[in-house]
Amino acid sequence: MWDAKCLVFLGLWLFAAFAARADGLPVLELNEYASSRDVSQALLRAGDFEGEMTRSELLARLDEFESLKDRRLAVETEIGHSVFLLKVANRSETYGEWIFTSRRHSVNRFTIYDITEETPIILADSRERGDNALNIRRYIGFGEILRLDPGEELLLAVYADIEILRSVPFEFYSVEAYLDEYYWQTSRFAIILPMILILIIINIMFFSFLGRWYFLFLAASELSFLILIMHSAAYVDALGLAMFPIVAIQVAELSKCTFIVFMGLFALNLLDTKSHYPVFHRVLQAMIAIGVLLTLFWLAAGFVSKAARVVVRDV
């Protein structure tokens, strides 16, 4: 009898202790926009959680989390793998909706949990949600719309296993602010991309008229640059590669490598470095050789370990 009472008392005490720990977390007050820097002021991170997480486990291990207040603008992950805790609140006197966005990027796993109550609620899961592709095209990435009443608080847990990247932007937008940002991103690339395409066409025409190979090499390097720009803005991911992280990373790295190779070939042919600049010629040859080797590595990246990919990309 006393054992049962002790167990009940212990359970109540643990629940109260966990609740007190949760109440002691920093709070991010949601307004029109919260940048990654703003989010990091209230964010806690740990890097060794595995499998599915419960609210009790997270709060019981709260002392293992570290603050990210003094970190870089984008939120850092633990070699691409971390669990984050974040408490958000609507301090206004009206109901509000905010988009919690991770932007677009390639992930092995990205899951957002609402652990305000004892039973966690999965808000977004890169493995399961059917609207991931739509969210990625909308520039939300693996995110969710949070709906908070006046004074309401949510405790969020985010599991992130990012392919190669060491950082990821966590941002909050009001719906109105997000639409402004979305239209700005769309209009910006609607101008930049056609301009680069026009340059590519012009160089191909010059090659056709003059037969000079360096125009073709320049067009190829511009095409590589175009793909890289699209990938950096995650438009390549938006075409469907976000669910295939290795392929998405290969596209990014191969575009860098081919840009180096074709720009080197462009300089070799345009300046005739073999005849006029022998030292520069050898430097360009070495640069092209490195570019070719990296191209071969990234073509086979799916067969090497993630650690090797991280090391090569960091170098």
Side-chain angles (χ1 to χ4, degrees):
M1 185 66 176
W2 285 104
D3 290 342
K5 288 184 178 179
C6 287
L7 288 174
V8 170
F9 176 77
L10 180 61
L12 291 174
W13 180 82
L14 288 173
F15 181 80
F18 294 158
R21 290 191 181 193
D23 290 339
L25 289 174
V27 178
L28 175 67
E29 297 184 9
L30 297 177
N31 296 303
E32 184 176 1
Y33 170 62
S35 68
S36 292
R37 174 71 71 182
D38 299 326
V39 173
S40 68
Q41 300 304 301
L43 200 65
L44 301 179
R45 182 196 72 181
D48 62 347
F49 282 87
E50 295 292 343
E52 299 301 324
M53 296 162 293
T54 66
R55 184 178 191 271
S56 299
E57 179 187 7
L58 287 169
L59 297 182
R61 298 173 62 178
L62 198 57
D63 56 345
E64 300 178 24
F65 284 76
E66 61 175 332
S67 173
L68 296 181
K69 286 185 178 180
D70 301 323
R71 299 305 174 96
R72 55 190 293 182
L73 182 60
V75 175
E76 290 186 353
T77 64
E78 187 85 10
I79 314 182
H81 163 90
S82 293
V83 172
F84 302 93
L85 282 181
L86 177 65
K87 180 180 281 189
V88 298
N90 176 12
R91 297 301 191 210
S92 69
E93 297 180 356
T94 59
Y95 168 86
E97 294 184 348
W98 286 269
I99 293 176
F100 177 30
T101 171
S102 61
R103 293 298 191 184
R104 301 169 179 160
H105 48 265
S106 301
V107 302
N108 293 321
R109 175 82 189 279
F110 192 93
T111 309
I112 304 171
Y113 299 88
D114 177 358
I115 59 170
T116 309
E117 304 297 334
E118 184 62 30
T119 303
I121 300 172
I122 296 178
L123 300 179
D125 191 337
S126 62
R127 302 177 306 174
E128 299 176 2
R129 286 283 297 271
D131 58 358
N132 281 331
L134 181 60
N135 278 350
I136 291 165
R137 288 196 294 272
R138 288 173 173 170
Y139 214 65
I140 296 174
F142 297 106
E144 184 56 75
I145 298 178
L146 305 180
R147 299 171 174 85
L148 284 81
D149 292 322
E152 184 179 3
E153 295 183 352
L154 292 180
L155 180 57
L156 304 176
V158 180
Y159 178 90
D161 181 6
I162 311 298
E163 176 61 34
I164 292 185
L165 298 179
R166 295 285 181 91
S167 60
V168 57
F170 290 163
E171 298 174 330
F172 287 87
Y173 287 87
S174 68
V175 174
E176 295 79 7
Y178 167 75
L179 290 175
D180 290 341
E181 175 71 10
Y182 174 76
Y183 291 134
W184 157 246
Q185 293 288 345
T186 303
S187 61
R188 182 162 65 100
F189 282 93
I191 295 173
I192 294 174
L193 300 186
M195 290 176 62
I196 298 178
L197 284 173
I198 291 171
L199 287 175
I200 293 172
I201 293 171
I202 289 174
N203 280 292
I204 292 175
M205 290 176 62
F206 281 162
F207 169 72
S208 301
F209 296 151
L210 303 176
R212 304 290 175 86
W213 280 97
Y214 52 77
F215 286 118
L216 198 59
F217 294 139
L218 183 58
S221 65
E222 289 167 347
L223 179 60
S224 299
F225 186 61
L226 175 65
I227 295 172
L228 184 59
I229 288 178
M230 290 182 65
H231 190 280
S232 64
Y235 277 89
V236 172
D237 289 353
L239 297 176
L241 294 183
M243 305 306 293
F244 305 95
I246 302 301
V247 178
I249 293 300
Q250 284 177 302
V251 170
E253 297 305 318
L254 286 171
S255 62
K256 295 176 187 177
C257 297
T258 54
F259 177 79
I260 293 172
V261 170
F262 286 121
M263 281 301 292
L265 291 171
F266 167 70
L268 283 176
N269 284 267
L270 176 65
L271 302 176
D272 192 12
T273 54
K274 185 176 182 180
S275 301
H276 300 96
Y277 310 100
V279 176
F280 186 42
H281 182 75
R282 288 192 289 272
V283 171
L284 287 176
Q285 283 182 319
M287 184 181 73
I288 293 170
I290 292 172
V292 171
L293 289 175
L294 288 174
T295 299
L296 295 174
F297 173 84
W298 288 110
L299 283 172
F303 301 98
V304 301
S305 67
K306 180 179 178 179
R309 294 195 295 269
V310 171
V311 169
V312 171
R313 197 178 194 200
D314 283 351
V315 172

